[in-house]
Amino acid sequence: APVPPEPAAGLALSDQTLAKQHGKQHQLSDRHFLSSWLSGEVLTHGVLVALLSGAVYTMSSAGGSDGDAATPKLGTNFHMLTGTILGVLLVARLALGVQRVEAASTQVQSFNKACRSLAVMSSMVTETITISAGAEQEKNAVDHFRRELVRLLNLGFYCYQLSLKGLKLASPPEALRSRHDKSEADMLSSVDNPTVMVGKLIASSIEQQRQAKRISNEQSALFVSGVNELVATYHATLASFLSPLPVSLTSFTYVFTLLWVYTAGPVIAMNEIGRNGVEPVALVLSLCFSFLLGIFFTGLYEAGKILEAPIHTAVTLLAIDEIGWSLSNGLSALVGDGDIPVFMPAPE
């Protein structure tokens, strides 16, 4: 029997939109590769610790100290023990901050997910009249709802994006303004939570479709659950903004980090005198080790500051403009057949 031919292989192309977002995020990460922890304050502490170590070394060598008498083993061991505990505490603080930043990034994707889900559900809105004289008017009403839904979802993400940056809507972009309700822009600029108000506008539009019998009560409930997800995600982000700062942890680690690094310099200097004697190489090693330890511990503390501002860190590292354009492009493709515009401009 003849062997049936193999089905034609599918064709796959690279996802340029996803690759562009990924590349932009890599650029943002590279831009903050060192600035996230190597600040001017960190370098200043490193230099001061090294200078203190050099001063102790010079004074001890001039006084004829052999180093061992000035740095008993108990003092050195205690300093090493406290340094180990402090290092674990700083790493734990950094790990907690990374978790909060990841949670903030997840909230952005959750908001996008809710927007796309609502766009997909718009296909459930259908005309109630398809044959009689009012069929054309009914079709126009459904098309108007879908276009308005996409516009409001874009407007909702725009307001949400502003809230991520700590900003508030003063006036929506021209492309996102309503063609029929000129007072909408003034209303959104006057409320404290424009993102939630956009959710209310979407819910009102859905209720109009339910009353017009274009969707059932069950379908309306699905729509409302999607709107609730938008509002819940916004409030989760707001909770991250307004959550109390870990003052006790921050102050404790800051004080003991400075105490440790500024006592590490003298300990290193005396140990180098005891091991290598009064030699130029011992002085150089003392300065280098003190500087490295200074920037290591203060830099670790600086990197852990993301715990105090997870939303700001997430916005700094996320390609938020590319994400917004990708969402707008996807919403237009999901709802319309090429007749609904992409409301958000393409990022440069």
Side-chain angles (χ1 to χ4, degrees), residues 67-68 70-83 260 267-268 270-271 275:
D68 288 335
T71 55
K73 293 299 181 183
L74 178 61
T76 304
N77 292 338
F78 176 76
H79 200 267
M80 292 176 59
L81 177 61
T82 54
W260 194 89
V267 171
I268 291 174
M270 300 306 296
N271 282 335
R275 293 176 181 177

Short mmCIF file of all heavy atoms in Angstrom, two decimals, residues 67-68 70-83 260 267-268 270-271 275:
data_model
loop_
_atom_site.label_atom_id
_atom_site.label_comp_id
_atom_site.label_asym_id
_atom_site.label_seq_id
_atom_site.Cartn_x
_atom_site.Cartn_y
_atom_site.Cartn_z
N GLY A 67 52.06 43.63 66.18
CA GLY A 67 50.76 43.23 65.64
C GLY A 67 50.07 42.17 66.47
O GLY A 67 48.90 42.29 66.80
N ASP A 68 50.77 41.08 66.85
CA ASP A 68 50.12 39.99 67.58
C ASP A 68 49.65 40.43 68.95
O ASP A 68 48.59 40.03 69.41
CB ASP A 68 51.09 38.82 67.72
CG ASP A 68 51.31 38.11 66.39
OD1 ASP A 68 50.40 38.21 65.54
OD2 ASP A 68 52.38 37.53 66.19
N ALA A 70 48.73 43.39 69.78
CA ALA A 70 47.63 44.35 69.68
C ALA A 70 46.33 43.72 69.18
O ALA A 70 45.27 44.29 69.31
CB ALA A 70 48.03 45.49 68.73
N THR A 71 46.40 42.54 68.57
CA THR A 71 45.20 41.89 68.06
C THR A 71 45.13 40.46 68.58
O THR A 71 45.57 39.52 67.94
CB THR A 71 45.23 41.86 66.51
OG1 THR A 71 46.46 41.23 66.10
CG2 THR A 71 45.17 43.24 65.93
N PRO A 72 44.63 40.29 69.80
CA PRO A 72 44.51 38.94 70.36
C PRO A 72 43.56 38.09 69.52
O PRO A 72 42.69 38.60 68.83
CB PRO A 72 43.95 39.20 71.75
CG PRO A 72 43.27 40.53 71.66
CD PRO A 72 44.08 41.32 70.69
N LYS A 73 43.76 36.77 69.59
CA LYS A 73 42.97 35.86 68.78
C LYS A 73 41.48 35.97 69.09
O LYS A 73 40.64 35.84 68.21
CB LYS A 73 43.45 34.43 69.02
CG LYS A 73 44.86 34.16 68.50
CD LYS A 73 44.93 34.37 67.00
CE LYS A 73 46.35 34.06 66.49
NZ LYS A 73 46.43 34.34 65.03
N LEU A 74 41.15 36.25 70.39
CA LEU A 74 39.74 36.36 70.76
C LEU A 74 39.09 37.51 70.00
O LEU A 74 37.99 37.38 69.46
CB LEU A 74 39.62 36.57 72.27
CG LEU A 74 38.18 36.77 72.80
CD1 LEU A 74 37.35 35.53 72.50
CD2 LEU A 74 38.19 37.05 74.29
N GLY A 75 39.79 38.67 69.93
CA GLY A 75 39.24 39.82 69.22
C GLY A 75 39.09 39.55 67.73
O GLY A 75 38.07 39.90 67.11
N THR A 76 40.08 38.91 67.12
CA THR A 76 40.00 38.59 65.70
C THR A 76 38.88 37.61 65.41
O THR A 76 38.11 37.78 64.45
CB THR A 76 41.35 38.02 65.23
OG1 THR A 76 42.39 38.95 65.52
CG2 THR A 76 41.32 37.75 63.74
N ASN A 77 38.78 36.57 66.21
CA ASN A 77 37.73 35.58 66.00
C ASN A 77 36.33 36.17 66.20
O ASN A 77 35.39 35.84 65.47
CB ASN A 77 37.93 34.40 66.95
CG ASN A 77 39.17 33.59 66.61
OD1 ASN A 77 39.66 33.65 65.48
ND2 ASN A 77 39.70 32.87 67.59
N PHE A 78 36.21 37.05 67.20
CA PHE A 78 34.91 37.70 67.42
C PHE A 78 34.54 38.56 66.22
O PHE A 78 33.37 38.57 65.79
CB PHE A 78 34.98 38.56 68.69
CG PHE A 78 33.73 39.34 68.95
CD1 PHE A 78 32.60 38.73 69.47
CD2 PHE A 78 33.67 40.70 68.65
CE1 PHE A 78 31.44 39.45 69.68
CE2 PHE A 78 32.52 41.43 68.87
CZ PHE A 78 31.40 40.80 69.40
N HIS A 79 35.50 39.26 65.66
CA HIS A 79 35.24 40.10 64.50
C HIS A 79 34.84 39.25 63.30
O HIS A 79 33.94 39.61 62.52
CB HIS A 79 36.48 40.95 64.18
CG HIS A 79 36.18 42.15 63.34
ND1 HIS A 79 36.26 42.12 61.97
CD2 HIS A 79 35.77 43.41 63.67
CE1 HIS A 79 35.95 43.31 61.49
NE2 HIS A 79 35.64 44.10 62.50
N MET A 80 35.49 38.11 63.11
CA MET A 80 35.14 37.22 62.01
C MET A 80 33.75 36.64 62.20
O MET A 80 32.98 36.52 61.24
CB MET A 80 36.18 36.09 61.91
CG MET A 80 37.56 36.55 61.47
SD MET A 80 38.77 35.21 61.49
CE MET A 80 38.00 34.05 60.36
N LEU A 81 33.40 36.29 63.44
CA LEU A 81 32.09 35.72 63.71
C LEU A 81 30.98 36.73 63.43
O LEU A 81 29.98 36.42 62.77
CB LEU A 81 32.02 35.23 65.15
CG LEU A 81 30.66 34.67 65.62
CD1 LEU A 81 30.28 33.45 64.79
CD2 LEU A 81 30.71 34.33 67.10
N THR A 82 31.16 37.93 63.95
CA THR A 82 30.14 38.97 63.72
C THR A 82 30.06 39.32 62.23
O THR A 82 28.97 39.61 61.71
CB THR A 82 30.45 40.22 64.54
OG1 THR A 82 31.79 40.66 64.26
CG2 THR A 82 30.32 39.94 66.03
N GLY A 83 31.18 39.30 61.53
CA GLY A 83 31.16 39.56 60.09
C GLY A 83 30.39 38.51 59.33
O GLY A 83 29.65 38.81 58.38
N TRP A 260 31.13 47.47 61.62
CA TRP A 260 31.99 46.35 61.29
C TRP A 260 33.08 46.74 60.30
O TRP A 260 34.24 46.39 60.49
CB TRP A 260 31.15 45.20 60.73
CG TRP A 260 31.94 43.91 60.69
CD1 TRP A 260 32.04 42.98 61.67
CD2 TRP A 260 32.75 43.46 59.60
NE1 TRP A 260 32.88 41.96 61.27
CE2 TRP A 260 33.32 42.23 60.00
CE3 TRP A 260 33.05 43.95 58.34
CZ2 TRP A 260 34.17 41.50 59.18
CZ3 TRP A 260 33.90 43.23 57.51
CH2 TRP A 260 34.45 42.02 57.94
N VAL A 267 41.80 46.02 62.29
CA VAL A 267 42.09 44.61 62.52
C VAL A 267 42.97 44.05 61.40
O VAL A 267 43.95 43.33 61.65
CB VAL A 267 40.79 43.80 62.65
CG1 VAL A 267 41.09 42.30 62.67
CG2 VAL A 267 40.03 44.21 63.90
N ILE A 268 42.66 44.41 60.16
CA ILE A 268 43.46 43.95 59.03
C ILE A 268 44.88 44.51 59.11
O ILE A 268 45.87 43.80 58.88
CB ILE A 268 42.79 44.35 57.70
CG1 ILE A 268 41.51 43.55 57.51
CG2 ILE A 268 43.73 44.11 56.52
CD1 ILE A 268 40.70 43.97 56.30
N MET A 270 46.64 45.46 61.78
CA MET A 270 47.42 44.84 62.84
C MET A 270 47.77 43.39 62.49
O MET A 270 48.87 42.90 62.81
CB MET A 270 46.64 44.88 64.16
CG MET A 270 46.31 46.30 64.62
SD MET A 270 47.75 47.38 64.74
CE MET A 270 48.68 46.55 66.02
N ASN A 271 46.85 42.69 61.82
CA ASN A 271 47.15 41.32 61.41
C ASN A 271 48.26 41.28 60.37
O ASN A 271 49.12 40.38 60.38
CB ASN A 271 45.89 40.64 60.85
CG ASN A 271 44.95 40.19 61.95
OD1 ASN A 271 45.37 39.95 63.08
ND2 ASN A 271 43.66 40.09 61.63
N ARG A 275 51.83 39.33 60.70
CA ARG A 275 52.19 38.25 59.79
C ARG A 275 53.40 38.60 58.91
O ARG A 275 54.27 37.76 58.67
CB ARG A 275 51.01 37.90 58.89
CG ARG A 275 49.84 37.29 59.66
CD ARG A 275 48.66 37.05 58.73
NE ARG A 275 47.51 36.48 59.44
CZ ARG A 275 46.33 36.23 58.89
NH1 ARG A 275 46.14 36.50 57.62
NH2 ARG A 275 45.37 35.71 59.62
#
